[in-house]
Amino acid sequence: MNIFRLAGDMTHLISVLVLLLKIYATKSCSGISLKTQELYAIVFVTRYLDLFTDFISLYNTVMKLVFIGSSLAIVWCMRYHRVVRRSYDRELDTFRYWILLGVSFILALVLHEKFTLQEVFWAFSIYLEAVAILPQLVLLQRSGNVDNLAGQYVFFLGAYRAFYILNWIYRYLTEQRFTRWISCVSGLVQTALYADFFYYYFISWKNNAKLQLPA
Amino acid sequence: TRDQNVHDEL
């Protein structure tokens, strides 16, 4: 464990807590893409298949349970909570995410570390996570101005993967046998997808204006 | 050492 990875995990945890806070406190999920939340639930379930077979550390196990639990709770809330579900922007959240699922799965069948069920699903979850934010970014662009908690959620989510890139550089430099190309390349793509959002987020923060994404 | 292919990152 290094400081970059810990910072990344904490930032990731904050992004999830910000989202849960927004939904719980305001009893509203306006501006939040259910499709992105469902993709993230799939990412965590398919990535942590080794939850009960490989014990890495208490921290690792607890964080896996938190991520799986919170992502499923958010999806449940947005789908079935009688108050929250009314504020879901169903007509704006129309990203055809089956494409993302299909492409990620085919890519995982081709590119993986070992051809085992667990490794193929792990690679699938890495590829899927890189593109899971797309429905959310599209929804933010369609709904124009971003209410600040939704914007903060995307900001922290993007920042966590940026910290992980620093973690991979650090591990590459310190551990002679560290070769996680699948994670590294996919993480770079993922962070690049956030780049334009970060730009507009920074501009709005600098001008202390509401975040306006170009339609 | 733990065999490398165990994914120790979240």
Side-chain angles (χ1 to χ4, degrees):
Chain A
M1 173 61 81
N2 59 61
I3 188 62
F4 303 113
R5 184 141 63 98
L6 185 62
D9 290 342
M10 290 305 110
T11 311
H12 194 186
L13 185 63
I14 290 170
S15 73
V16 167
L17 296 182
V18 158
L19 192 53
L20 274 171
L21 174 80
K22 166 184 167 55
I23 292 176
Y24 183 74
T26 63
K27 288 288 181 288
S28 155
C29 63
S30 67
I32 301 298
S33 161
L34 173 60
K35 292 178 183 291
T36 282
Q37 297 311 314
E38 288 171 344
L39 288 177
Y40 260 105
I42 294 169
V43 165
F44 292 132
V45 168
T46 54
R47 182 173 304 177
Y48 301 149
L49 293 175
D50 63 349
L51 181 60
F52 302 111
T53 57
D54 296 322
F55 180 78
I56 309 273
S57 70
L58 183 64
Y59 169 81
N60 189 271
T61 302
V62 167
M63 290 298 275
K64 285 176 176 175
L65 291 171
V66 165
F67 285 142
I68 290 177
S70 56
S71 61
L72 292 177
I74 289 167
V75 168
W76 180 86
C77 231
M78 291 183 69
R79 273 189 173 275
Y80 304 112
H81 190 289
R82 71 193 180 294
V83 177
V84 171
R85 65 197 297 264
R86 278 206 299 262
S87 58
Y88 168 48
D89 308 322
R90 190 178 312 279
E91 64 289 340
L92 284 177
D93 191 17
T94 59
F95 197 97
R96 290 184 301 282
Y97 70 168
W98 299 108
I99 300 172
L100 303 179
L101 284 162
V103 169
S104 305
F105 194 71
I106 290 166
L107 197 57
L109 287 175
V110 173
L111 268 179
H112 43 262
E113 295 199 357
K114 269 188 347 186
F115 195 70
T116 64
L117 184 99
Q118 191 166 309
E119 282 301 318
V120 169
F121 271 114
W122 180 82
F124 166 69
S125 84
I126 293 287
Y127 301 138
L128 187 62
E129 185 188 4
V131 293
I133 196 64
L134 284 173
Q136 180 63 62
L137 292 181
V138 166
L139 180 62
L140 288 187
Q141 263 170 348
R142 284 186 185 158
S143 53
N145 67 326
V146 177
D147 88 317
N148 59 2
L149 273 172
Q152 278 163 3
Y153 165 69
V154 177
F155 174 77
F156 284 118
L157 208 51
Y160 120 80
R161 217 58 181 163
F163 277 123
Y164 254 75
I165 290 171
L166 296 179
N167 153 65
W168 290 320
I169 294 170
Y170 176 84
R171 291 189 76 174
Y172 181 74
L173 294 176
T174 54
E175 298 170 22
Q176 66 280 15
R177 282 190 54 230
F178 181 74
T179 54
R180 282 268 187 268
W181 302 119
I182 289 179
S183 304
C184 295
V185 172
S186 192
L188 281 169
V189 167
Q190 181 173 337
T191 308
L193 285 178
Y194 286 76
D196 70 325
F197 173 83
F198 279 143
Y199 170 72
Y200 292 114
Y201 197 81
F202 175 71
I203 298 293
S204 74
W205 172 74
K206 194 156 68 77
N207 308 336
N208 197 12
K210 275 188 83 66
L211 181 59
Q212 295 289 333
L213 295 170
Chain B
T1 60
R2 189 183 308 122
D3 57 322
Q4 180 60 22
N5 75 338
V6 170
H7 300 295
D8 61 351
E9 295 183 344
L10 288 173

